[in-house]
Amino acid sequence: MAPRIKVAPLPEDLLSAYLVMTANVVGRFHENEERQDIASPFLDEPFAHVYVGDEEVVDFAFGRARQAQQRWAETPIKTRQQIFRDFHDRVLKNRELLVDIVQMETGKNRLSALDEVLDVVSNARFYANAAPRLLKEKPMPGAIPGLTRSKLQRTPKGVVGQISPWNYPLALGISDAIPALLAGNAVVAKPDSQTPFSLLSVLRLLYESGLPRDLMQVVTGSGRVVGSAIANNCDYLMFTGSTATGRVLGKTAGERLIGFSAELGGKNPLLISADADLDRSIREAISACFSNSGQLCVSIERIYVEEAIYDEFVSRFGTAVNNMRLASGFDWDADMGSLINADQLETVETFVENAKEKGARVLAGGRTRPELGRFFFEPTVLVDVPNDADLYCDEVFGPVVFIEKVANLDEAIAKANDTSYGLNAAVFAESETGWKAAGKLLAGGVGINDGYTATWATVASPLGGMKDSGVARRHGDEGMLKYTEPRNVAEQRGISMRGPASLPRKTYGTLMANAMLWGKKLKFLP
Ligand code: NAP
């Protein structure tokens, strides 16, 4: 039985009513009566429900979104900016409620839930500020200087499809949609079936800020039905989830010849140099490995420590992890919360048992904690993990990390890069050592003396995965430009590109060759 918890600041029945109301308002186009109960890792009983969508509902959502998008594309950028600036403030004002809802759906600790709110406001602020710069028409150097006038224009893709996972349902539900909407698109989104309310709740705030109601549609339901239908209807697909699903959706996007952005899995390494500050390394490593109970794409699952400090790090890190406070509930004290569900608990347990059978030693954790809640698993540190243990290469996506001794940073870098993934990596070291090592790590984000929060929170710079960890990027200019069609509009003035009509073709050929030659030499051609 799940422990009794106090829902704060809203009483449980009021929160439940709010959630059902939110689902009804947003999901107003659902005509079938099939409902899905939504459970909380904190509770024994479902706490709300949503309607289950199907292909027909997705078609309907796209129809409404397409109409709304045409009007929205004509809406001045200043108006769009204003909506998202208002949304920024509204999210901050309602942060306690949003954090409650995220915690309720996922069972994560409060600090990890707050991270989601901060991510949403950072993206709203950054893209509201950046939109005019990124979307404005830009004059380009023409083919014939002075005679060819060219402009780079960016038009919206149309309706962007978005499919997101359960681990950061608020941040991954809305933050990637913000640049898409600001760029003039509509969005049809599918949250994970287990965690629809985080997105539905924040979307209400976006409507209150003035977003036209049909411009962003949420269709709840399964990935197989609703997710596939979205992939088959959209003009660009933004996906966050597992590498396996990413491959399936990549095929659809390839067949339909639409743009595709995929943020996928990782097996993220952390390197600890002999010159690292140990106190700081231990604090940061705990955050890097166990935030959101390790159910984080950029979470650290392997630590390579230089031998000079290996024994001390292992001993102090093990003690610190053993002292972490696990709890259900809505206060700020818990260092770690629950896993999301029984499947996730079983996956984590199976990985740990497999490693133990192969000879790994448990330095901290390693057990389920049913007295704290149905899906609790201790933050777990393993050593002596042989390379045939499943978790040596495979992503656990849970609170499990292993530590390995290395002779030097070069060996650590080689091991770190020896993976099919390339999402996140970190190095804890003196600044100069850290930057040198960072340059050799093959990952879309690399933290120095920080596990992942500094790269994730730096929304002005693009972030994503190399190799099997993804395609395209979120954040930064790329995070908005991918939702646009760049096009080249060129006006030829005065003389034709083919020269005067009377010019013989052979002379034209000689003139063009000379122009290219001198254009390069004298740098008057771009
Ligand atoms: P998943 O199984 O791929 O599910 C993610 C989303 O895709 C869910 O909404 C799911 O819907 C939907 N889906 C599943 N199969 C689909 C299909 N055939 N067609 C269309 N949609 C489909 O991922 P997960 O296991 O829940 O999430 C954990 C994984 O996501 C981990 O590997 C993690 O590393 C990765 N992740 C990556 C990032 C990143 O930014 N790189 C961030 C977070 C998580 P339903 O579940 O509702 O059916």
Side-chain angles (χ1 to χ4, degrees), residues 86-98 116-118 120-121 124 170 174 202 205-206 209:
D86 182 272
F87 174 64
H88 171 279
D89 296 349
R90 234 172 253 271
V91 169
L92 284 178
K93 206 166 146 202
N94 287 278
R95 68 185 183 280
E96 294 292 337
L97 175 64
L98 291 171
E116 301 211 38
V117 169
L118 299 179
V120 174
V121 294
L170 180 74
I174 197 73
V202 82
L205 300 180
L206 194 47
S209 293

mmCIF file with all atom_site columns, all heavy atoms in Angstrom, residues 86-98 116-118 120-121 124 170 174 202 205-206 209:
data_model
loop_
_atom_site.group_PDB
_atom_site.id
_atom_site.type_symbol
_atom_site.label_atom_id
_atom_site.label_alt_id
_atom_site.label_comp_id
_atom_site.label_asym_id
_atom_site.label_entity_id
_atom_site.label_seq_id
_atom_site.pdbx_PDB_ins_code
_atom_site.Cartn_x
_atom_site.Cartn_y
_atom_site.Cartn_z
_atom_site.occupancy
_atom_site.B_iso_or_equiv
_atom_site.pdbx_formal_charge
_atom_site.auth_seq_id
_atom_site.auth_comp_id
_atom_site.auth_asym_id
_atom_site.auth_atom_id
_atom_site.pdbx_PDB_model_num
ATOM 1   N N   . ASP A 1 86  ? 3.803  36.852 -21.374 1.00 0.00 ? 86  ASP A N   1
ATOM 2   C CA  . ASP A 1 86  ? 2.765  36.731 -20.358 1.00 0.00 ? 86  ASP A CA  1
ATOM 3   C C   . ASP A 1 86  ? 2.755  35.296 -19.798 1.00 0.00 ? 86  ASP A C   1
ATOM 4   O O   . ASP A 1 86  ? 2.648  35.083 -18.588 1.00 0.00 ? 86  ASP A O   1
ATOM 5   C CB  . ASP A 1 86  ? 1.409  37.072 -20.987 1.00 0.00 ? 86  ASP A CB  1
ATOM 6   C CG  . ASP A 1 86  ? 0.287  37.012 -19.980 1.00 0.00 ? 86  ASP A CG  1
ATOM 7   O OD1 . ASP A 1 86  ? -0.297 35.911 -19.783 1.00 0.00 ? 86  ASP A OD1 1
ATOM 8   O OD2 . ASP A 1 86  ? 0.005  38.044 -19.375 1.00 0.00 ? 86  ASP A OD2 1
ATOM 9   N N   . PHE A 1 87  ? 2.896  34.339 -20.700 1.00 0.00 ? 87  PHE A N   1
ATOM 10  C CA  . PHE A 1 87  ? 2.922  32.922 -20.297 1.00 0.00 ? 87  PHE A CA  1
ATOM 11  C C   . PHE A 1 87  ? 4.075  32.671 -19.307 1.00 0.00 ? 87  PHE A C   1
ATOM 12  O O   . PHE A 1 87  ? 3.908  31.992 -18.289 1.00 0.00 ? 87  PHE A O   1
ATOM 13  C CB  . PHE A 1 87  ? 3.103  32.077 -21.560 1.00 0.00 ? 87  PHE A CB  1
ATOM 14  C CG  . PHE A 1 87  ? 3.304  30.601 -21.326 1.00 0.00 ? 87  PHE A CG  1
ATOM 15  C CD1 . PHE A 1 87  ? 2.309  29.824 -20.760 1.00 0.00 ? 87  PHE A CD1 1
ATOM 16  C CD2 . PHE A 1 87  ? 4.499  29.982 -21.689 1.00 0.00 ? 87  PHE A CD2 1
ATOM 17  C CE1 . PHE A 1 87  ? 2.492  28.457 -20.555 1.00 0.00 ? 87  PHE A CE1 1
ATOM 18  C CE2 . PHE A 1 87  ? 4.695  28.626 -21.486 1.00 0.00 ? 87  PHE A CE2 1
ATOM 19  C CZ  . PHE A 1 87  ? 3.689  27.861 -20.914 1.00 0.00 ? 87  PHE A CZ  1
ATOM 20  N N   . HIS A 1 88  ? 5.231  33.247 -19.591 1.00 0.00 ? 88  HIS A N   1
ATOM 21  C CA  . HIS A 1 88  ? 6.399  33.133 -18.717 1.00 0.00 ? 88  HIS A CA  1
ATOM 22  C C   . HIS A 1 88  ? 6.023  33.506 -17.279 1.00 0.00 ? 88  HIS A C   1
ATOM 23  O O   . HIS A 1 88  ? 6.273  32.768 -16.317 1.00 0.00 ? 88  HIS A O   1
ATOM 24  C CB  . HIS A 1 88  ? 7.497  34.063 -19.272 1.00 0.00 ? 88  HIS A CB  1
ATOM 25  C CG  . HIS A 1 88  ? 8.690  34.248 -18.399 1.00 0.00 ? 88  HIS A CG  1
ATOM 26  N ND1 . HIS A 1 88  ? 8.722  35.128 -17.330 1.00 0.00 ? 88  HIS A ND1 1
ATOM 27  C CD2 . HIS A 1 88  ? 9.910  33.670 -18.435 1.00 0.00 ? 88  HIS A CD2 1
ATOM 28  C CE1 . HIS A 1 88  ? 9.904  35.077 -16.757 1.00 0.00 ? 88  HIS A CE1 1
ATOM 29  N NE2 . HIS A 1 88  ? 10.647 34.196 -17.401 1.00 0.00 ? 88  HIS A NE2 1
ATOM 30  N N   . ASP A 1 89  ? 5.366  34.665 -17.138 1.00 0.00 ? 89  ASP A N   1
ATOM 31  C CA  . ASP A 1 89  ? 5.022  35.143 -15.795 1.00 0.00 ? 89  ASP A CA  1
ATOM 32  C C   . ASP A 1 89  ? 3.934  34.273 -15.154 1.00 0.00 ? 89  ASP A C   1
ATOM 33  O O   . ASP A 1 89  ? 3.952  34.011 -13.957 1.00 0.00 ? 89  ASP A O   1
ATOM 34  C CB  . ASP A 1 89  ? 4.522  36.597 -15.865 1.00 0.00 ? 89  ASP A CB  1
ATOM 35  C CG  . ASP A 1 89  ? 5.630  37.523 -16.362 1.00 0.00 ? 89  ASP A CG  1
ATOM 36  O OD1 . ASP A 1 89  ? 6.796  37.073 -16.444 1.00 0.00 ? 89  ASP A OD1 1
ATOM 37  O OD2 . ASP A 1 89  ? 5.333  38.689 -16.688 1.00 0.00 ? 89  ASP A OD2 1
ATOM 38  N N   . ARG A 1 90  ? 2.988  33.845 -15.974 1.00 0.00 ? 90  ARG A N   1
ATOM 39  C CA  . ARG A 1 90  ? 1.889  33.011 -15.467 1.00 0.00 ? 90  ARG A CA  1
ATOM 40  C C   . ARG A 1 90  ? 2.411  31.660 -14.941 1.00 0.00 ? 90  ARG A C   1
ATOM 41  O O   . ARG A 1 90  ? 1.944  31.153 -13.936 1.00 0.00 ? 90  ARG A O   1
ATOM 42  C CB  . ARG A 1 90  ? 0.903  32.740 -16.608 1.00 0.00 ? 90  ARG A CB  1
ATOM 43  C CG  . ARG A 1 90  ? -0.498 33.108 -16.319 1.00 0.00 ? 90  ARG A CG  1
ATOM 44  C CD  . ARG A 1 90  ? -1.329 32.968 -17.581 1.00 0.00 ? 90  ARG A CD  1
ATOM 45  N NE  . ARG A 1 90  ? -1.648 34.277 -18.089 1.00 0.00 ? 90  ARG A NE  1
ATOM 46  C CZ  . ARG A 1 90  ? -2.731 34.968 -17.738 1.00 0.00 ? 90  ARG A CZ  1
ATOM 47  N NH1 . ARG A 1 90  ? -3.593 34.435 -16.900 1.00 0.00 ? 90  ARG A NH1 1
ATOM 48  N NH2 . ARG A 1 90  ? -2.966 36.157 -18.224 1.00 0.00 ? 90  ARG A NH2 1
ATOM 49  N N   . VAL A 1 91  ? 3.380  31.094 -15.653 1.00 0.00 ? 91  VAL A N   1
ATOM 50  C CA  . VAL A 1 91  ? 3.955  29.810 -15.219 1.00 0.00 ? 91  VAL A CA  1
ATOM 51  C C   . VAL A 1 91  ? 4.653  29.997 -13.874 1.00 0.00 ? 91  VAL A C   1
ATOM 52  O O   . VAL A 1 91  ? 4.478  29.194 -12.946 1.00 0.00 ? 91  VAL A O   1
ATOM 53  C CB  . VAL A 1 91  ? 4.934  29.262 -16.287 1.00 0.00 ? 91  VAL A CB  1
ATOM 54  C CG1 . VAL A 1 91  ? 5.739  28.086 -15.745 1.00 0.00 ? 91  VAL A CG1 1
ATOM 55  C CG2 . VAL A 1 91  ? 4.168  28.842 -17.536 1.00 0.00 ? 91  VAL A CG2 1
ATOM 56  N N   . LEU A 1 92  ? 5.404  31.093 -13.759 1.00 0.00 ? 92  LEU A N   1
ATOM 57  C CA  . LEU A 1 92  ? 6.099  31.322 -12.484 1.00 0.00 ? 92  LEU A CA  1
ATOM 58  C C   . LEU A 1 92  ? 5.098  31.524 -11.345 1.00 0.00 ? 92  LEU A C   1
ATOM 59  O O   . LEU A 1 92  ? 5.286  31.000 -10.242 1.00 0.00 ? 92  LEU A O   1
ATOM 60  C CB  . LEU A 1 92  ? 7.032  32.531 -12.596 1.00 0.00 ? 92  LEU A CB  1
ATOM 61  C CG  . LEU A 1 92  ? 8.332  32.279 -13.357 1.00 0.00 ? 92  LEU A CG  1
ATOM 62  C CD1 . LEU A 1 92  ? 9.157  33.558 -13.453 1.00 0.00 ? 92  LEU A CD1 1
ATOM 63  C CD2 . LEU A 1 92  ? 9.172  31.171 -12.711 1.00 0.00 ? 92  LEU A CD2 1
ATOM 64  N N   . LYS A 1 93  ? 4.036  32.265 -11.640 1.00 0.00 ? 93  LYS A N   1
ATOM 65  C CA  . LYS A 1 93  ? 3.024  32.529 -10.615 1.00 0.00 ? 93  LYS A CA  1
ATOM 66  C C   . LYS A 1 93  ? 2.341  31.225 -10.172 1.00 0.00 ? 93  LYS A C   1
ATOM 67  O O   . LYS A 1 93  ? 1.984  31.074 -9.008  1.00 0.00 ? 93  LYS A O   1
ATOM 68  C CB  . LYS A 1 93  ? 1.979  33.487 -11.211 1.00 0.00 ? 93  LYS A CB  1
ATOM 69  C CG  . LYS A 1 93  ? 1.262  34.304 -10.201 1.00 0.00 ? 93  LYS A CG  1
ATOM 70  C CD  . LYS A 1 93  ? 0.531  35.438 -10.880 1.00 0.00 ? 93  LYS A CD  1
ATOM 71  C CE  . LYS A 1 93  ? -0.753 35.708 -10.147 1.00 0.00 ? 93  LYS A CE  1
ATOM 72  N NZ  . LYS A 1 93  ? -1.724 36.390 -10.981 1.00 0.00 ? 93  LYS A NZ  1
ATOM 73  N N   . ASN A 1 94  ? 2.159  30.318 -11.092 1.00 0.00 ? 94  ASN A N   1
ATOM 74  C CA  . ASN A 1 94  ? 1.450  29.059 -10.787 1.00 0.00 ? 94  ASN A CA  1
ATOM 75  C C   . ASN A 1 94  ? 2.414  27.901 -10.525 1.00 0.00 ? 94  ASN A C   1
ATOM 76  O O   . ASN A 1 94  ? 2.042  26.745 -10.654 1.00 0.00 ? 94  ASN A O   1
ATOM 77  C CB  . ASN A 1 94  ? 0.538  28.692 -11.957 1.00 0.00 ? 94  ASN A CB  1
ATOM 78  C CG  . ASN A 1 94  ? -0.666 29.594 -12.036 1.00 0.00 ? 94  ASN A CG  1
ATOM 79  O OD1 . ASN A 1 94  ? -1.640 29.386 -11.335 1.00 0.00 ? 94  ASN A OD1 1
ATOM 80  N ND2 . ASN A 1 94  ? -0.581 30.632 -12.859 1.00 0.00 ? 94  ASN A ND2 1
ATOM 81  N N   . ARG A 1 95  ? 3.651  28.223 -10.182 1.00 0.00 ? 95  ARG A N   1
ATOM 82  C CA  . ARG A 1 95  ? 4.666  27.155 -10.146 1.00 0.00 ? 95  ARG A CA  1
ATOM 83  C C   . ARG A 1 95  ? 4.374  26.078 -9.111  1.00 0.00 ? 95  ARG A C   1
ATOM 84  O O   . ARG A 1 95  ? 4.629  24.901 -9.349  1.00 0.00 ? 95  ARG A O   1
ATOM 85  C CB  . ARG A 1 95  ? 6.058  27.742 -9.946  1.00 0.00 ? 95  ARG A CB  1
ATOM 86  C CG  . ARG A 1 95  ? 6.314  28.372 -8.606  1.00 0.00 ? 95  ARG A CG  1
ATOM 87  C CD  . ARG A 1 95  ? 7.683  29.030 -8.550  1.00 0.00 ? 95  ARG A CD  1
ATOM 88  N NE  . ARG A 1 95  ? 7.963  29.577 -7.256  1.00 0.00 ? 95  ARG A NE  1
ATOM 89  C CZ  . ARG A 1 95  ? 7.492  30.752 -6.824  1.00 0.00 ? 95  ARG A CZ  1
ATOM 90  N NH1 . ARG A 1 95  ? 6.727  31.497 -7.613  1.00 0.00 ? 95  ARG A NH1 1
ATOM 91  N NH2 . ARG A 1 95  ? 7.768  31.183 -5.613  1.00 0.00 ? 95  ARG A NH2 1
ATOM 92  N N   . GLU A 1 96  ? 3.820  26.464 -7.964  1.00 0.00 ? 96  GLU A N   1
ATOM 93  C CA  . GLU A 1 96  ? 3.589  25.450 -6.926  1.00 0.00 ? 96  GLU A CA  1
ATOM 94  C C   . GLU A 1 96  ? 2.558  24.424 -7.401  1.00 0.00 ? 96  GLU A C   1
ATOM 95  O O   . GLU A 1 96  ? 2.726  23.221 -7.198  1.00 0.00 ? 96  GLU A O   1
ATOM 96  C CB  . GLU A 1 96  ? 3.128  26.099 -5.614  1.00 0.00 ? 96  GLU A CB  1
ATOM 97  C CG  . GLU A 1 96  ? 4.178  26.967 -4.945  1.00 0.00 ? 96  GLU A CG  1
ATOM 98  C CD  . GLU A 1 96  ? 5.372  26.178 -4.397  1.00 0.00 ? 96  GLU A CD  1
ATOM 99  O OE1 . GLU A 1 96  ? 5.247  24.965 -4.135  1.00 0.00 ? 96  GLU A OE1 1
ATOM 100 O OE2 . GLU A 1 96  ? 6.454  26.791 -4.231  1.00 0.00 ? 96  GLU A OE2 1
ATOM 101 N N   . LEU A 1 97  ? 1.512  24.906 -8.064  1.00 0.00 ? 97  LEU A N   1
ATOM 102 C CA  . LEU A 1 97  ? 0.488  23.993 -8.581  1.00 0.00 ? 97  LEU A CA  1
ATOM 103 C C   . LEU A 1 97  ? 1.085  23.080 -9.658  1.00 0.00 ? 97  LEU A C   1
ATOM 104 O O   . LEU A 1 97  ? 0.863  21.862 -9.665  1.00 0.00 ? 97  LEU A O   1
ATOM 105 C CB  . LEU A 1 97  ? -0.681 24.797 -9.161  1.00 0.00 ? 97  LEU A CB  1
ATOM 106 C CG  . LEU A 1 97  ? -1.752 23.951 -9.849  1.00 0.00 ? 97  LEU A CG  1
ATOM 107 C CD1 . LEU A 1 97  ? -2.435 23.027 -8.858  1.00 0.00 ? 97  LEU A CD1 1
ATOM 108 C CD2 . LEU A 1 97  ? -2.777 24.823 -10.553 1.00 0.00 ? 97  LEU A CD2 1
ATOM 109 N N   . LEU A 1 98  ? 1.852  23.676 -10.560 1.00 0.00 ? 98  LEU A N   1
ATOM 110 C CA  . LEU A 1 98  ? 2.455  22.861 -11.634 1.00 0.00 ? 98  LEU A CA  1
ATOM 111 C C   . LEU A 1 98  ? 3.391  21.802 -11.046 1.00 0.00 ? 98  LEU A C   1
ATOM 112 O O   . LEU A 1 98  ? 3.393  20.644 -11.486 1.00 0.00 ? 98  LEU A O   1
ATOM 113 C CB  . LEU A 1 98  ? 3.217  23.762 -12.619 1.00 0.00 ? 98  LEU A CB  1
ATOM 114 C CG  . LEU A 1 98  ? 2.333  24.675 -13.473 1.00 0.00 ? 98  LEU A CG  1
ATOM 115 C CD1 . LEU A 1 98  ? 3.175  25.681 -14.252 1.00 0.00 ? 98  LEU A CD1 1
ATOM 116 C CD2 . LEU A 1 98  ? 1.471  23.855 -14.437 1.00 0.00 ? 98  LEU A CD2 1
ATOM 117 N N   . GLU A 1 116 ? 11.516 21.367 -14.065 1.00 0.00 ? 116 GLU A N   1
ATOM 118 C CA  . GLU A 1 116 ? 10.668 21.392 -15.265 1.00 0.00 ? 116 GLU A CA  1
ATOM 119 C C   . GLU A 1 116 ? 10.073 22.788 -15.471 1.00 0.00 ? 116 GLU A C   1
ATOM 120 O O   . GLU A 1 116 ? 10.029 23.303 -16.587 1.00 0.00 ? 116 GLU A O   1
ATOM 121 C CB  . GLU A 1 116 ? 9.543  20.369 -15.140 1.00 0.00 ? 116 GLU A CB  1
ATOM 122 C CG  . GLU A 1 116 ? 10.059 18.949 -14.963 1.00 0.00 ? 116 GLU A CG  1
ATOM 123 C CD  . GLU A 1 116 ? 9.120  17.924 -15.569 1.00 0.00 ? 116 GLU A CD  1
ATOM 124 O OE1 . GLU A 1 116 ? 8.553  18.186 -16.638 1.00 0.00 ? 116 GLU A OE1 1
ATOM 125 O OE2 . GLU A 1 116 ? 8.964  16.854 -14.956 1.00 0.00 ? 116 GLU A OE2 1
ATOM 126 N N   . VAL A 1 117 ? 9.625  23.382 -14.355 1.00 0.00 ? 117 VAL A N   1
ATOM 127 C CA  . VAL A 1 117 ? 9.045  24.730 -14.449 1.00 0.00 ? 117 VAL A CA  1
ATOM 128 C C   . VAL A 1 117 ? 10.109 25.714 -14.937 1.00 0.00 ? 117 VAL A C   1
ATOM 129 O O   . VAL A 1 117 ? 9.853  26.557 -15.808 1.00 0.00 ? 117 VAL A O   1
ATOM 130 C CB  . VAL A 1 117 ? 8.495  25.160 -13.065 1.00 0.00 ? 117 VAL A CB  1
ATOM 131 C CG1 . VAL A 1 117 ? 8.128  26.630 -13.056 1.00 0.00 ? 117 VAL A CG1 1
ATOM 132 C CG2 . VAL A 1 117 ? 7.299  24.299 -12.683 1.00 0.00 ? 117 VAL A CG2 1
ATOM 133 N N   . LEU A 1 118 ? 11.318 25.595 -14.381 1.00 0.00 ? 118 LEU A N   1
ATOM 134 C CA  . LEU A 1 118 ? 12.386 26.530 -14.764 1.00 0.00 ? 118 LEU A CA  1
ATOM 135 C C   . LEU A 1 118 ? 12.734 26.372 -16.238 1.00 0.00 ? 118 LEU A C   1
ATOM 136 O O   . LEU A 1 118 ? 13.043 27.346 -16.934 1.00 0.00 ? 118 LEU A O   1
ATOM 137 C CB  . LEU A 1 118 ? 13.628 26.303 -13.883 1.00 0.00 ? 118 LEU A CB  1
ATOM 138 C CG  . LEU A 1 118 ? 13.394 26.522 -12.381 1.00 0.00 ? 118 LEU A CG  1
ATOM 139 C CD1 . LEU A 1 118 ? 14.661 26.246 -11.581 1.00 0.00 ? 118 LEU A CD1 1
ATOM 140 C CD2 . LEU A 1 118 ? 12.890 27.939 -12.097 1.00 0.00 ? 118 LEU A CD2 1
ATOM 141 N N   . VAL A 1 120 ? 10.673 25.486 -18.639 1.00 0.00 ? 120 VAL A N   1
ATOM 142 C CA  . VAL A 1 120 ? 9.605  26.080 -19.453 1.00 0.00 ? 120 VAL A CA  1
ATOM 143 C C   . VAL A 1 120 ? 9.776  27.600 -19.526 1.00 0.00 ? 120 VAL A C   1
ATOM 144 O O   . VAL A 1 120 ? 9.727  28.194 -20.610 1.00 0.00 ? 120 VAL A O   1
ATOM 145 C CB  . VAL A 1 120 ? 8.214  25.721 -18.877 1.00 0.00 ? 120 VAL A CB  1
ATOM 146 C CG1 . VAL A 1 120 ? 7.109  26.458 -19.621 1.00 0.00 ? 120 VAL A CG1 1
ATOM 147 C CG2 . VAL A 1 120 ? 7.991  24.213 -18.939 1.00 0.00 ? 120 VAL A CG2 1
ATOM 148 N N   . VAL A 1 121 ? 10.021 28.244 -18.378 1.00 0.00 ? 121 VAL A N   1
ATOM 149 C CA  . VAL A 1 121 ? 10.125 29.708 -18.422 1.00 0.00 ? 121 VAL A CA  1
ATOM 150 C C   . VAL A 1 121 ? 11.396 30.142 -19.159 1.00 0.00 ? 121 VAL A C   1
ATOM 151 O O   . VAL A 1 121 ? 11.395 31.153 -19.870 1.00 0.00 ? 121 VAL A O   1
ATOM 152 C CB  . VAL A 1 121 ? 10.055 30.373 -17.011 1.00 0.00 ? 121 VAL A CB  1
ATOM 153 C CG1 . VAL A 1 121 ? 8.702  30.165 -16.404 1.00 0.00 ? 121 VAL A CG1 1
ATOM 154 C CG2 . VAL A 1 121 ? 11.137 29.895 -16.079 1.00 0.00 ? 121 VAL A CG2 1
ATOM 155 N N   . ALA A 1 124 ? 10.519 29.945 -22.804 1.00 0.00 ? 124 ALA A N   1
ATOM 156 C CA  . ALA A 1 124 ? 9.562  30.998 -23.179 1.00 0.00 ? 124 ALA A CA  1
ATOM 157 C C   . ALA A 1 124 ? 10.293 32.335 -23.300 1.00 0.00 ? 124 ALA A C   1
ATOM 158 O O   . ALA A 1 124 ? 10.091 33.085 -24.264 1.00 0.00 ? 124 ALA A O   1
ATOM 159 C CB  . ALA A 1 124 ? 8.447  31.082 -22.145 1.00 0.00 ? 124 ALA A CB  1
ATOM 160 N N   . LEU A 1 170 ? 6.213  17.938 -18.160 1.00 0.00 ? 170 LEU A N   1
ATOM 161 C CA  . LEU A 1 170 ? 5.897  19.361 -18.316 1.00 0.00 ? 170 LEU A CA  1
ATOM 162 C C   . LEU A 1 170 ? 6.903  20.001 -19.282 1.00 0.00 ? 170 LEU A C   1
ATOM 163 O O   . LEU A 1 170 ? 6.537  20.601 -20.291 1.00 0.00 ? 170 LEU A O   1
ATOM 164 C CB  . LEU A 1 170 ? 5.954  20.049 -16.947 1.00 0.00 ? 170 LEU A CB  1
ATOM 165 C CG  . LEU A 1 170 ? 5.651  21.535 -16.945 1.00 0.00 ? 170 LEU A CG  1
ATOM 166 C CD1 . LEU A 1 170 ? 4.167  21.777 -17.142 1.00 0.00 ? 170 LEU A CD1 1
ATOM 167 C CD2 . LEU A 1 170 ? 6.092  22.181 -15.637 1.00 0.00 ? 170 LEU A CD2 1
ATOM 168 N N   . ILE A 1 174 ? 5.993  20.994 -23.283 1.00 0.00 ? 174 ILE A N   1
ATOM 169 C CA  . ILE A 1 174 ? 5.694  22.337 -23.814 1.00 0.00 ? 174 ILE A CA  1
ATOM 170 C C   . ILE A 1 174 ? 6.936  23.069 -24.329 1.00 0.00 ? 174 ILE A C   1
ATOM 171 O O   . ILE A 1 174 ? 6.837  23.884 -25.258 1.00 0.00 ? 174 ILE A O   1
ATOM 172 C CB  . ILE A 1 174 ? 4.942  23.192 -22.743 1.00 0.00 ? 174 ILE A CB  1
ATOM 173 C CG1 . ILE A 1 174 ? 4.263  24.407 -23.394 1.00 0.00 ? 174 ILE A CG1 1
ATOM 174 C CG2 . ILE A 1 174 ? 5.839  23.637 -21.626 1.00 0.00 ? 174 ILE A CG2 1
ATOM 175 C CD1 . ILE A 1 174 ? 3.065  24.118 -24.201 1.00 0.00 ? 174 ILE A CD1 1
ATOM 176 N N   . VAL A 1 202 ? -0.354 23.102 -18.124 1.00 0.00 ? 202 VAL A N   1
ATOM 177 C CA  . VAL A 1 202 ? 0.421  24.273 -18.537 1.00 0.00 ? 202 VAL A CA  1
ATOM 178 C C   . VAL A 1 202 ? -0.185 24.874 -19.803 1.00 0.00 ? 202 VAL A C   1
ATOM 179 O O   . VAL A 1 202 ? -0.119 26.087 -20.032 1.00 0.00 ? 202 VAL A O   1
ATOM 180 C CB  . VAL A 1 202 ? 1.918  23.903 -18.690 1.00 0.00 ? 202 VAL A CB  1
ATOM 181 C CG1 . VAL A 1 202 ? 2.215  23.254 -20.017 1.00 0.00 ? 202 VAL A CG1 1
ATOM 182 C CG2 . VAL A 1 202 ? 2.801  25.130 -18.504 1.00 0.00 ? 202 VAL A CG2 1
ATOM 183 N N   . LEU A 1 205 ? -2.621 27.525 -19.094 1.00 0.00 ? 205 LEU A N   1
ATOM 184 C CA  . LEU A 1 205 ? -2.005 28.827 -18.824 1.00 0.00 ? 205 LEU A CA  1
ATOM 185 C C   . LEU A 1 205 ? -1.663 29.539 -20.135 1.00 0.00 ? 205 LEU A C   1
ATOM 186 O O   . LEU A 1 205 ? -1.768 30.757 -20.242 1.00 0.00 ? 205 LEU A O   1
ATOM 187 C CB  . LEU A 1 205 ? -0.743 28.659 -17.972 1.00 0.00 ? 205 LEU A CB  1
ATOM 188 C CG  . LEU A 1 205 ? -0.923 28.007 -16.602 1.00 0.00 ? 205 LEU A CG  1
ATOM 189 C CD1 . LEU A 1 205 ? 0.405  27.915 -15.869 1.00 0.00 ? 205 LEU A CD1 1
ATOM 190 C CD2 . LEU A 1 205 ? -1.931 28.800 -15.759 1.00 0.00 ? 205 LEU A CD2 1
ATOM 191 N N   . LEU A 1 206 ? -1.251 28.761 -21.125 1.00 0.00 ? 206 LEU A N   1
ATOM 192 C CA  . LEU A 1 206 ? -0.909 29.349 -22.419 1.00 0.00 ? 206 LEU A CA  1
ATOM 193 C C   . LEU A 1 206 ? -2.169 29.926 -23.090 1.00 0.00 ? 206 LEU A C   1
ATOM 194 O O   . LEU A 1 206 ? -2.126 30.999 -23.689 1.00 0.00 ? 206 LEU A O   1
ATOM 195 C CB  . LEU A 1 206 ? -0.237 28.282 -23.294 1.00 0.00 ? 206 LEU A CB  1
ATOM 196 C CG  . LEU A 1 206 ? 0.489  28.721 -24.556 1.00 0.00 ? 206 LEU A CG  1
ATOM 197 C CD1 . LEU A 1 206 ? 1.408  29.908 -24.336 1.00 0.00 ? 206 LEU A CD1 1
ATOM 198 C CD2 . LEU A 1 206 ? 1.294  27.550 -25.123 1.00 0.00 ? 206 LEU A CD2 1
ATOM 199 N N   . SER A 1 209 ? -2.957 33.109 -21.536 1.00 0.00 ? 209 SER A N   1
ATOM 200 C CA  . SER A 1 209 ? -2.065 34.183 -21.996 1.00 0.00 ? 209 SER A CA  1
ATOM 201 C C   . SER A 1 209 ? -2.463 34.714 -23.360 1.00 0.00 ? 209 SER A C   1
ATOM 202 O O   . SER A 1 209 ? -1.882 35.687 -23.836 1.00 0.00 ? 209 SER A O   1
ATOM 203 C CB  . SER A 1 209 ? -0.619 33.665 -22.079 1.00 0.00 ? 209 SER A CB  1
ATOM 204 O OG  . SER A 1 209 ? -0.142 33.378 -20.803 1.00 0.00 ? 209 SER A OG  1
#
